[in-house]
Amino acid sequence: MKIKNTPPALPLWHSPSLWSEANNTIAELIDKNLENLNQAIMAAHEIEKNLNSIFPVVNRLCMPTCPMCPDPCCLNAKIWFDFKDLLFLHLQRLVIAPSQPIGKMSETCRYIGHHGCTLDRIARPWMCTWYLCPSQTGRLRKDCPSEYDNIQRVFNDIKSERGKMEDGFITAIMPHFSFL
Ligand code: SF4
Ligand code: SF4
């Protein structure tokens, strides 16, 4: 029996119009429901605090590894902003990238520059922060196991807060979707 390969899906909100519609809708829902968004806003604050706490370690890991890397991960990354990424950026009033990193699965991330990613760390898709490549993981575990444990703990906290943020948002906007 011949097994048919399923073609990879397109990235979420891959076109300029879908990207703009997604962002406008999230922004509008936040504005309309601001008074009910405490849980989501608190979770988004925690995420930003946690992200900022690990960026110095991530920067320190990148400095000796990324500029010399023979196979930079960003060149092959099939990455895009998901709903929680956009919700976080909107709730924290952070800069939103002008489009998804890729519009098709065959493309290379449009935010790669000559000296690495051109987006601020805080404004990148979560997957870009969460991914520690084998070389960096090995280095951190060997040189500083306590920092490795700490970064794993912070990653888990961020994942949990992302869930709380999304739940809080959905609960807050429910009255606008009373047919559900
Ligand atoms: S994170 Fe790892 S794989 Fe990616 S560019 Fe840096 S050293 Fe290379
Ligand atoms: S958004 Fe930045 S970190 Fe993420 S894949 Fe693109 S260049 Fe790399």
Side-chain angles (χ1 to χ4, degrees), residues 28-42:
E28 202 176 303
L29 285 168
I30 289 175
D31 283 349
K32 275 190 184 152
N33 295 281
L34 209 48
E35 70 279 12
N36 298 320
L37 282 168
N38 282 353
Q39 177 186 329
I41 291 169
M42 276 167 58

Side-chain angles (χ1 to χ4, degrees), residues 74 77 79 101 109 111-112 117 119 124-125 128:
C74 296
I79 215 99
C109 178
Y111 297 116
I112 299 177
C117 185
L119 297 176
R124 295 176 195 175
C128 298

